[in-house]
Every structure is written in C-alpha cells, then in structure tokens.
Amino acid sequence: MEISKVRNIGIAAHIDSGKTTLSERILFYTGRIHKIIEVKSKTGSGPTMDSMDLEREKGITIQSAATYCKWNDININLIDTPGHIDFTGEVERTLRVLDGAVLVLCGVAGVQTQSYTVDRQMRRYSVPRIAFINKLDRAGANPDKVVNQLEEKLGHKPVLVTIPIGIEDNFEGVIDLLKMKAIYYEGAYGEEVVEKDIPPHLLSDAVLRRKKIIERVADYDEIFAKKYLEESEINNEDLNAAIRRATICLNITPVFIGSAKENKGVQTLLNGVGLFLPSPDEIQNKALDLDENNNEIDLQTKDDLPTVALAFKLEVGKYGQLTYMRIYQGKIRKGDYLVNMQNKKKIKVPRIVKMHANNMEEIEEAGAGDIIGMFGVDCSSGNTFTDSKVNYSLSSMLFPAPVIELAIEPKDRTHLMNFSKALNRFQKEDPTFQVYLDKESGETIIKGMGELHLEIYIERIKREYNTEVNIGKPKVAYRETITQKTEFDYTHKKQSGGYGQFARVVGFIEPLTEMNENHYKFVNAIVGGAIPKEFIHSCDKGFQEQLHEGLLIKQPIVDVKVTLNDGAAHSVDSSELAFKLAAHHAMKKAVAQAKPILLEPFMNLEVVVPEEFQGPVISQLNQRRGVIHKTNLEAKFVTVVAEIPLKEMFGYSSNLRSITQGKGEFTMEFNKYIPVPKSIEEEIIKEYKERETAKK
C-alpha cells in the first residue's frame, strides 16, 4: 500500500452534532456497508460504529470505534469518537494517534461547549483538521454564522470550500468553490453524485467566495502567494496543493457543508479528506531516546527501520484482550517479538487484525502508518513497543483527573469474583475510570468524569457480568491546598537496638504559582552536602506521599511547592527510609500550619431551552451557585453559558426536565478547581466528620 494514499483520521465533535450518522454514511458510500441504519433506529439494531447495546439504546457513542475503508484511491483508517464530555478520555487517546481529523459542527448550534474541548485536544497533539458543518436541512441552519464562530470562538482560519444550494427545507446540494460546479446527490441514498453548472442566481456569490479562498490561502502559503501577486493564472491543482500545505501546517481549516442524515455533502467531504488531510509520512512524530538522556528523536514512516508502536486503547472481548496499536516506524508481522518499553517484557505477536467496528479481518503483517488490533498482548494504555533494536519511548496521553466518585458493592456476595473482574477490566481499558478501596470504611469507591460515565459502567457490570450492585450517593472529588508559606524543621530519630534511624529535613512549603500537570514542585536547595545526594529522592518521595491525603477531609493536597534547603544525616543510622519518613512527617506538620483550604471542581455548563423557560432556568442556576456568563437567543431557543460547582449539579437533569416540560438539554465539562466558600467548607468538613464517627 502506497503510504501517500493512507489517511488516519478521526471524527470528533460536540454531542449530537451527527458524528456517528456521518461515519455511517462514509461507510456506506465507500462500500464498507450496504445498508444505512440511523442512530435512533427503532429496529433494535443500530449504526455500525455503535456496536455496544448501551450505545444503541441511548443513541450516543461511548467507546471509540475503528474501521477502515477506501475512497477512490485513498485508504482511510477511520475512528468515530464519543461526543459526551464524560467520555473525553476516549477522544484524547484517539487524537493522540491520528494524523488528521474531521471536526463536525451542527449547522444550527455551531460551536458548542464540547467543541472547545475537542479543539483543545486537537491542538495539544497538533492534529490538522477539516470541518464539516452538518444538519443544513434543519430550521435555523446558517453555515456563515458557524464559520464566523470557528474564527472568533476557536481561533481557526476557516476556508469555506463548499456552500449550500438552498437551506433548511430547501437544501438541495452544494456548490464546490474549487471546481466551480454545483453538486447534487441523487438516488435513494444520495449515492449518485451529479455535477452541473452553478445556478445563475448563485454564480456571482460563488465567484466572490472563491476569490476569498484564494486571498486567505495566499496569506499563509508563500509559494501560492507569489503566483497570486504575479497575477498568474490560478488553476485548481495549484490551489488544492496550497490549501493542503496550509492545512497540514495548521494555518487554515477547510470547511465543507452538508447534511449527513439527508445524504448530502458526504462524498465531497471524502474528496476533501484525500485532498487536504496528511498521509502518515507528512506528519513529524517524535520519540524519546532512553539511551540518550530522553533526547527527542524524529521517527520516520518507513517499513525498513526499527519498529516503534504505541498501544493506545484496550478492549476485552470474547477473544481476550484486544490492543489497538499505531505503528509509527517499522513493520509488525505475525510471530514477531516485541518489547514493552515500560516493563521490558518480551511478547510474541500471535494475531494481527484490521478492525471494522466490532468485526475484524485477520492480516499477516502491517507497516509504518497503520492502525491495527493485536490479541494476546499484556499491556496498558500508552505503552510503547519496539522490536528491541532501539530503546525509544513515545509520550503517552494526557488524561483528565476524575471529578466524581461513589461507593459500590455487589448485591450478592457470591458475585464478588465477577464484580472484581469487571472493575479490573474497566480500569485497565479506561484511564479516566478509577477504583480504590477506602481503608477505613472498607468500601469500594469508583471515580469518573461524570454521572453518565459511572452510570454506564454500573450498567455494564450488570449486563456483561450478570452482577447487580448497590450504589451509594455520588460524591464530589474535592482537593485540598495551602494558602501561606510555612517553614519546617523536622528530625526523625528512632533507636531500638542495632542500627537506628536518623534524618533531619529543613525547608519550607508555599502555594505553587507556576502550575504544572503534577500540581507539585520540589526544589533541592541543599548546599555543602548537608543531606547526601542519595537521600534527596527519598525526601521528595516522602513529601509527595503525605500530599495523597489531606488534613481536612483526607482528599489529595495540590498546588504545593516544597523547598528543601538544609538537614542532617548520620553516618550509620541514616537511610532512604529514615529520610522518607522525616519528609512525610515534616510535610504533615507544615500543611497543618499553612492554613489549608478546600477546593471544589467548577464546571463549564451550557443549557439550551425554549425561550419561554429562560427565567426559571436562570433562577434555578443562581440557586445552585451558578455564575451566568452569557445568554444567547436564536431561533426561539436560549443558550445559557455558565460556570457552576459540580456539587450543585447532582439531580439537575431531572430538575431541568421538570421545569422545561422535557424540552431542555445541557452539557457540562470540568473547568477548574476553585476555593469552596467558607460557610460551605465548614459544612463539608462537618459532614465528613459525622460520617467518620458513624463508621466507628
């Protein structure tokens, strides 16, 4: 397979923008499936890419689904991702391994809450994208408004390459501004693409818009700008090549329009995937050379080089664990030996498959740039594999911390084994789903990204493991932090026959102002060897261990900077353990004196309701400590954008339904942790102490 003809792409968007419907149409037009099934079909079956029963019942995508197809001479590896914010971890790991993406936007709602999140994820991994404005057949559709939002809200430089012929009920087809042709989609399912001359009443607008494309592309591509300024004739080949270069460099975003449900615009979008999104060898991927101080190394998309691959997703099914893997360099054959760079374990590749949703096709080998499935590989999400000729590691994915937790136990103790198997499996498959045992109560606690996230896993335990469960009330995952600088000087001394333990640590803690992913910073300011170098790491470890459990309600302590500037050691009695314990106790005492406070997760909230319910909805949000940022009225629907504490959002779904007669909907995503108001903090601490007393 010629590498320049391969596209590894994902489809990502805000929930209910039509991603899965678009994926279904792509599979139909590329001949992968021979029948279209709608997302909310009443037949009992569901779209190809939503293979889980729960996905079909709820009409949402829960897990990323991978498939491959061919359009003209382009081979496409396609991943459909979830839109609901609770499953953002699925989107994160998908975008980590893709070369390009299609950002789907609703033609009516435009840029929504989750659009921001998906866009941030694409930027994090420098993923070139094209946009598809969907649902142009719906009342209130306005592609120009959405293009403006792309520019103003997301900071894109959009280039509208197709425009509609008619709109809403009169949406008939699109005008391709590159070919300067009207495109109609005829036949029962829009499978017959017919090119005609542009209708006379739309011609002048099309000419003007094409000129805008040329001017914008000239702003970002020097080769093309030179031709434009010389007033040379601009042919389609030159224009397409310039759009492609500017797209891959993340300078512009080509925008296509259509309606996947009405079978219009999808084939033209597929042409755009081939024309403007990169092949694997056009993206620069890097690895860390573990033999050379973690220096960055450029990987090359070639089969004849040492193999480097990333396991980005795990799934357990009837055939065992299926590991989704992206090959960045080299080749993988059935029977080859690979080394897991995280644990140095050697594995033999027993079986390689190409995935088509929940179906698979066995293959003998796969090369650089491929996305494959492998069975019989024991690993975790984010592990790097090589053929042992190089000692490289790929950077893993960034997963958000869970913000909600609840206690869970099997109703029947005889199902404890199945219960444990389920939790172990789901925790391994989904890094945003976490499980821990509360030491004091003995309860099993599950943590996740939201109520729906945990609800789905509870339902899967019931269905897939035949285990009914009892669940406690959802609880917010609070954090603790310090508010002032405090010095510490702690000596750990123990003597009980033979060698004793001695360690002294001196320094100070203070609030961390320069934030990082770990929410913690350790500064070694020891001079003159007051603490031997070999014990410094143990001090760091001891400080961090104490931060796992705060003093107010035993939640993790975050945003702390520790400076170690003095201490003492004993030639015989000092050890790594002694310094770790000294640091642990020093941190505990210092935190108690540093005026600790509670932090709570604040969420970004977007509520969409009919205009007549605006008053009650805003009133309800105010009662829940919401901060209203703006309201926007469009097509008799009001969008309320707010920030609100997660604590106040439990039960909001049913409240919203009752005050809007079932017509309101909302989306919510984690924004940041902020201090809890003093009166509410006292309430939370009091409740915590009462629970602890009741346990005893």
Side-chain angles (χ1 to χ4, degrees):
M1 193 193 311
E2 198 181 328
I3 197 72
S4 65
K5 303 293 185 187
V6 174
R7 301 288 181 273
N8 292 321
I9 68 165
I11 297 182
H14 182 92
I15 190 170
D16 206 27
S17 294
K19 293 181 319 303
T20 301
T21 303
L22 177 60
S23 298
E24 194 78 358
R25 297 309 188 270
I26 288 172
L27 296 181
F28 178 73
Y29 296 132
T30 56
R32 270 325 242 128
I33 59 173
H34 304 289
K35 182 184 176 186
I36 291 173
I37 300 172
E38 302 299 347
V39 172
K40 291 175 182 174
S41 165
K42 293 176 182 174
T43 61
S45 59
T48 310
M49 301 298 270
D50 284 353
S51 56
M52 196 190 293
D53 288 344
L54 270 170
E55 293 179 309
R56 291 173 173 178
E57 285 171 28
K58 292 182 178 288
I60 62 169
T61 302
I62 293 167
Q63 291 185 328
S64 300
T67 188
Y68 68 97
C69 53
K70 190 165 183 176
W71 178 249
N72 298 329
D73 60 345
I74 300 293
N75 294 281
I76 301 172
N77 289 312
L78 172 71
I79 302 185
D80 175 30
T81 64
H84 199 287
I85 187 61
D86 284 14
F87 305 101
T88 190
E90 282 288 309
V91 185
E92 188 77 33
R93 58 178 163 199
T94 299
L95 292 175
R96 167 65 180 83
V97 299
L98 294 175
D99 303 318
V102 178
L103 173 62
V104 183
L105 299 158
C106 173
V108 180
V111 171
Q112 297 166 273
T113 314
Q114 181 71 356
S115 311
Y116 288 97
T117 307
V118 169
D119 186 63
R120 279 197 303 272
Q121 290 169 316
M122 288 181 184
R123 288 178 192 274
R124 185 178 298 138
Y125 301 114
S126 300
V127 179
R129 63 276 211 194
I130 60 179
F132 182 69
I133 301 175
N134 195 20
K135 302 190 177 184
L136 288 200
D137 58 303
R138 281 181 50 183
N142 185 342
D144 286 322
K145 178 200 77 174
V146 182
V147 168
N148 289 337
Q149 289 179 347
L150 257 179
E151 187 146 16
E152 291 164 12
K153 294 185 175 183
L154 298 184
H156 285 230
K157 294 291 180 273
V159 174
L160 196 60
V161 294
T162 60
I163 58 172
I165 301 171
I167 200 76
E168 301 178 345
D169 290 346
N170 300 315
F171 180 48
E172 297 175 34
V174 308
I175 293 172
D176 186 330
L177 298 173
L178 305 177
K179 291 181 176 179
M180 286 302 280
K181 288 285 184 184
I183 314 287
Y184 297 91
Y185 306 88
E186 298 177 356
Y189 297 104
E191 66 274 22
E192 296 169 26
V193 180
V194 180
E195 288 187 8
K196 295 181 182 178
D197 289 336
I198 297 172
H201 68 286
L202 295 173
L203 187 56
S204 60
D205 185 40
V207 170
L208 192 65
R209 287 175 182 269
R210 179 181 166 86
K211 191 181 176 194
K212 281 184 183 175
I213 295 174
I214 292 168
E215 287 171 353
R216 173 149 270 184
V217 175
D219 287 341
Y220 293 99
D221 189 86
E222 285 183 22
I223 302 168
F224 186 74
K226 193 177 175 186
K227 278 198 171 189
Y228 175 62
L229 292 171
E230 289 171 355
E231 296 185 358
S232 302
E233 187 183 337
I234 303 294
N235 60 45
N236 270 5
E237 200 174 307
D238 290 337
L239 183 54
N240 287 345
I243 293 174
R244 179 182 182 79
R245 289 191 296 270
T247 303
I248 293 172
C249 292
L250 305 178
N251 287 328
I252 67 169
T253 305
V255 181
F256 294 80
I257 57 101
S259 169
K261 194 168 188 295
E262 294 301 313
N263 309 311
K264 292 180 174 73
V266 179
Q267 295 97 317
T268 310
L269 173 70
L270 281 168
N271 291 338
V273 167
L275 280 171
F276 305 131
L277 290 181
S279 57
D281 60 342
E282 291 177 293
I283 294 291
Q284 188 55 70
N285 293 296
K286 295 180 182 293
L288 303 177
D289 189 339
L290 303 180
D291 291 333
E292 294 292 334
N293 226 11
N294 286 350
N295 287 340
E296 280 194 339
I297 296 288
D298 288 338
L299 298 176
Q300 296 180 58
T301 313
K302 293 182 178 177
D303 291 355
D304 57 354
L305 292 174
T307 302
V308 182
L310 180 73
F312 68 94
K313 175 176 161 64
L314 310 179
E315 234 175 65
V316 178
K318 55 184 176 183
Y319 301 111
Q321 180 176 300
L322 172 65
T323 302
Y324 285 84
M325 202 169 283
R326 163 72 194 262
I327 307 171
Y328 285 96
Q329 181 177 282
K331 187 180 273 195
I332 295 178
R333 299 178 190 82
K334 191 175 174 180
D336 278 356
Y337 285 93
L338 295 175
V339 176
N340 185 333
M341 300 310 292
Q342 270 60 37
N343 57 24
K344 304 302 179 188
K345 284 186 180 174
K346 203 173 194 181
I347 58 115
K348 186 177 182 181
V349 179
R351 197 174 162 204
I352 308 174
V353 295
K354 286 287 258 184
M355 296 304 300
H356 177 47
N358 64 337
N359 298 314
M360 59 194 75
E361 295 168 22
E362 292 220 27
I363 55 174
E364 292 298 311
E365 64 176 38
D370 269 337
I371 292 175
I372 55 169
M374 286 170 56
F375 283 99
V377 178
D378 185 25
C379 67
S380 300
S381 253
N383 286 176
T384 301
F385 285 85
T386 74
D387 56 7
S388 79
K389 292 175 186 169
V390 288
N391 195 17
Y392 293 171
S393 177
L394 291 154
S395 63
S396 190
M397 290 74 79
L398 174 71
F399 292 110
V403 294
I404 184 172
E405 57 184 56
L406 53 82
I408 182 173
E409 65 175 11
K411 282 184 180 176
D412 186 339
R413 301 298 291 175
T414 61
H415 288 163
L416 199 56
M417 182 71 79
N418 277 356
F419 178 72
S420 297
K421 275 184 188 173
L423 294 184
N424 288 335
R425 170 191 162 187
F426 297 148
Q427 197 173 193
K428 198 172 184 184
E429 286 182 3
D430 180 358
T432 62
F433 176 76
Q434 297 175 9
V435 182
Y436 75 94
L437 190 69
D438 186 308
K439 293 175 193 169
E440 294 181 11
S441 68
E443 291 176 320
T444 299
I445 309 293
I446 59 174
K447 300 168 78 171
M449 299 308 299
E451 286 182 278
L452 179 65
H453 191 208
L454 297 184
E455 181 190 313
I456 291 292
Y457 279 115
I458 289 164
E459 188 63 26
R460 288 184 67 186
I461 292 170
K462 179 181 167 183
R463 295 185 186 203
E464 296 172 34
Y465 289 86
N466 197 28
T467 301
E468 296 281 351
V469 295
N470 294 321
I471 56 175
K473 286 182 180 177
K475 289 191 293 184
V476 174
Y478 291 102
R479 296 287 182 267
E480 300 182 24
T481 193
I482 58 172
T483 57
Q484 68 178 36
K485 181 178 175 179
T486 304
E487 294 182 349
F488 59 81
D489 183 344
Y490 186 86
T491 302
H492 174 71
K493 194 186 289 186
K494 191 176 180 185
Q495 193 71 46
S496 55
Y499 291 126
Q501 289 181 11
F502 178 85
R504 180 181 173 221
V505 291
V506 181
F508 57 89
I509 64 170
E510 59 189 321
L512 180 65
T513 51
E514 63 275 24
M515 296 302 169
N516 60 42
E517 286 174 24
N518 298 321
H519 297 279
Y520 165 80
K521 186 175 182 181
F522 172 68
V523 177
N524 175 18
I526 295 289
V527 289
I531 297 176
K533 282 183 183 175
E534 62 266 28
F535 298 138
I536 299 295
H537 177 67
S538 300
C539 294
D540 184 15
K541 211 170 171 184
F543 290 134
Q544 288 193 62
E545 276 187 5
Q546 176 54 44
L547 294 179
H548 292 160
E549 192 175 272
L551 307 181
L552 300 176
I553 57 170
K554 292 193 176 176
Q555 291 296 301
I557 305 169
V558 296
D559 301 332
V560 175
K561 181 179 178 181
V562 187
T563 301
L564 182 66
N565 56 23
D566 201 0
H570 187 277
S571 57
V572 176
D573 292 345
S574 287
S575 63
E576 289 185 4
L577 177 63
F579 273 99
K580 190 170 91 166
L581 289 169
H584 187 94
H585 293 303
M587 176 63 83
K588 189 171 185 178
K589 286 186 77 172
V591 166
Q593 294 165 17
K595 293 194 175 174
I597 59 167
L598 276 185
L599 302 174
E600 65 180 336
F602 246 61
M603 315 300 283
N604 286 331
L605 176 71
E606 191 173 279
V607 188
V608 181
V609 295
E611 186 182 357
E612 63 266 30
F613 301 113
Q614 179 177 350
V617 165
I618 288 177
S619 172
Q620 191 184 66
L621 293 179
N622 286 329
Q623 288 169 18
R624 291 172 180 261
R625 293 196 285 135
V627 179
I628 312 294
H629 287 308
K630 64 178 176 181
T631 58
N632 183 37
L633 175 62
E634 206 163 300
K636 296 189 177 178
F637 275 82
V638 172
T639 301
V640 182
V641 178
E643 283 184 2
I644 197 162
L646 176 62
K647 179 180 189 288
E648 308 295 340
M649 287 304 289
F650 296 139
Y652 180 65
S653 183
S654 53
N655 285 159
L656 181 65
R657 277 198 298 270
S658 67
I659 65 168
T660 62
Q661 298 168 16
K663 296 172 186 173
E665 56 184 48
F666 75 96
T667 54
M668 183 173 69
E669 69 163 319
F670 172 71
N671 179 11
K672 60 191 172 188
Y673 273 94
I674 70 166
V676 176
K678 201 67 190 165
S679 59
I680 294 172
E681 179 182 270
E682 287 167 2
E683 216 176 275
I684 293 167
I685 293 171
K686 185 184 172 191
E687 282 175 15
Y688 168 76
K689 286 179 177 173
E690 284 171 357
R691 279 200 310 272
E692 293 304 295
T693 305
K695 285 176 190 175
K696 292 168 186 173

